[in-house]
Amino acid sequence: MDALTSLLHEVRSDGALFSRNILVPPWSVRFADGTSLTLVTMLRGDGWVVPGDAAPVALGAGDVAVVVGAEPFTIADTADPPASPLYVVHGPDLCTTADGAEISDELVLGLRTCGNSLDGPTVLLTGSYRVGGRVSERLLSALPRVLAVRHDGRPGPVLDLAATEIERNAPGQQAVLDRLLDLLLLSTLREWFTRPEAASPGWYQALGDPVAGKALRLIHDRPARPWTVAALAEETGVSRATFARRFSDLVGQPPMAYLTDWRLALAADLLARTDATVESIARQVGYRSAFGLSVAFHRVYGTRPGHHRTSTARATAGVGDDRRG
């Protein structure tokens, strides 16, 4: 398993928040569902993603953008939209006015659909992820606030299928939408990272290298192995010095530092998502004992594993319906 696959494995949709917006200019729509990752595409027409804390990004028909971060953002037909949006989207079936009141019936156009005309020339589709955890952070931290992949007016088969499925209410529909959103995210990020403007992280650039790339796959596939620089060098067929230098140059950090970061990220997510004991988790991620994991965990994250589990559980329990405008 390569590094990108490992990271994306932890960023999977479970209850995809798809919404469709059919609009007649002038228009602007605010998105405030509080999710960490949102895919945006123009199925028809064009528009602008206006995040507020970064430069606006233009989108044409078929283009796909990824918006990173839980802060609200606006999509509009102009890079300088009016202060008051047509409505605010809080989820697939929840839209309000800018001040939080229910929107009028004429703006609810159907299942998962809002807008000001079913015949509008602009069709905007969004899909949001509720993601969290240390492994996900490693991917999100490598992305800009807004990235866009151009498709020159050709939506492609996945978007065509998503556009069809969003109107349906059949058994198993949520599972279909979840998998479509996963496929859209994976294909968009994979294409984005190949582009010069992506400034892709070191671990991604290293994937194609026969030495560093193989070592990354070994670390991600088998974190519990007692890896050393010498063991990884032997597996990759080069000397210890050559391996250490090549890995550090390409990935941006020494192999043992990368291994530690990956193990602790896995441990943090296992603590948050499972009831496994600290001792069991320690062995799963490559530490001989709970004490060894605890020492490393505190050194990097500033807290003990048990405290991390407790605080994460409290934070999750406190997540409610956020209707920020």
Side-chain angles (χ1 to χ4, degrees):
M1 186 183 296
D2 62 54
L4 180 59
T5 301
S6 297
L7 295 173
L8 285 172
H9 182 72
E10 298 298 324
V11 185
R12 292 180 61 111
S13 180
D14 183 12
L17 305 177
F18 265 112
S19 69
R20 184 177 60 164
N21 305 267
I22 308 177
L23 302 151
V24 174
W27 58 269
S28 70
V29 179
R30 188 80 164 154
F31 290 82
D33 58 14
T35 54
S36 302
L37 203 65
T38 304
L39 267 77
V40 178
T41 184
M42 306 299 299
L43 295 177
R44 190 168 69 229
D46 51 42
W48 291 80
V49 180
V50 186
D53 54 354
V57 175
L59 288 180
D63 295 348
V64 180
V66 176
V67 183
V68 179
E71 298 80 8
F73 62 93
T74 298
I75 306 179
D77 63 336
T78 173
D80 186 22
S84 182
L86 181 63
Y87 51 83
V88 181
V89 177
H90 301 276
D93 297 306
L94 176 60
C95 299
T96 71
T97 63
D99 58 6
E102 291 186 9
I103 61 172
S104 58
D105 290 342
E106 60 263 27
L107 291 178
V108 180
L109 303 180
L111 182 66
R112 307 183 186 92
T113 303
C114 294
N116 54 11
S117 173
L118 277 171
D119 299 321
T122 303
V123 180
L124 165 68
L125 184 69
T126 66
S128 299
Y129 279 85
R130 296 189 182 278
V131 298
R134 297 288 181 173
V135 171
S136 299
E137 286 177 8
R138 294 169 71 87
L139 174 62
L140 299 185
S141 65
L143 304 176
R145 172 68 163 134
V146 182
L147 64 89
V149 172
R150 313 294 177 188
H151 289 289
D152 301 322
R154 301 186 302 274
V158 178
L159 283 179
D160 286 341
L161 183 57
T164 300
E165 292 292 334
I166 200 172
E167 300 181 66
R168 302 182 64 189
N169 192 23
Q173 194 62 35
Q174 188 59 60
V176 173
L177 292 174
D178 286 342
R179 298 295 76 79
L180 284 172
L181 187 55
D182 288 340
L183 185 55
L184 281 170
L185 177 64
L186 174 60
S187 59
T188 300
L189 291 182
R190 186 172 62 180
E191 185 166 350
W192 163 256
F193 279 135
T194 65
R195 300 191 173 193
E197 68 269 24
S200 53
W203 53 259
Y204 185 85
Q205 298 179 41
L207 291 177
D209 183 77
V211 173
K214 183 175 182 179
L216 284 169
R217 286 187 287 275
L218 289 169
I219 288 170
H220 282 248
D221 285 348
R222 290 174 260 172
R225 285 276 298 271
W227 293 117
T228 62
V229 171
L232 287 167
E234 182 177 357
E235 289 280 356
T236 56
V238 296
S239 71
R240 176 175 173 171
T242 297
F243 168 72
R245 181 176 61 253
R246 194 157 172 173
F247 189 99
S248 298
D249 288 346
L250 291 174
V251 177
Q253 64 181 141
M256 292 298 100
Y258 184 93
L259 174 63
T260 296
D261 285 351
W262 180 244
R263 284 173 167 171
L264 293 179
L266 291 175
D269 286 358
L270 287 170
L271 287 162
R273 298 173 184 173
T274 75
D275 294 327
T277 65
V278 176
E279 184 75 30
S280 172
I281 291 172
R283 296 186 182 280
Q284 286 184 62
V285 301
Y287 288 89
R288 294 182 178 179
S289 67
F291 177 76
L293 172 61
S294 182
V295 170
F297 203 91
H298 186 270
R299 183 180 69 249
V300 174
Y301 295 143
T303 188
R304 302 294 180 188
H307 293 162
H308 173 77
R309 170 172 273 166
T310 302
S311 62
T312 304
R314 287 174 180 167
T316 302
V319 172
D321 186 6
D322 185 356
R323 300 189 181 185
R324 290 170 296 169

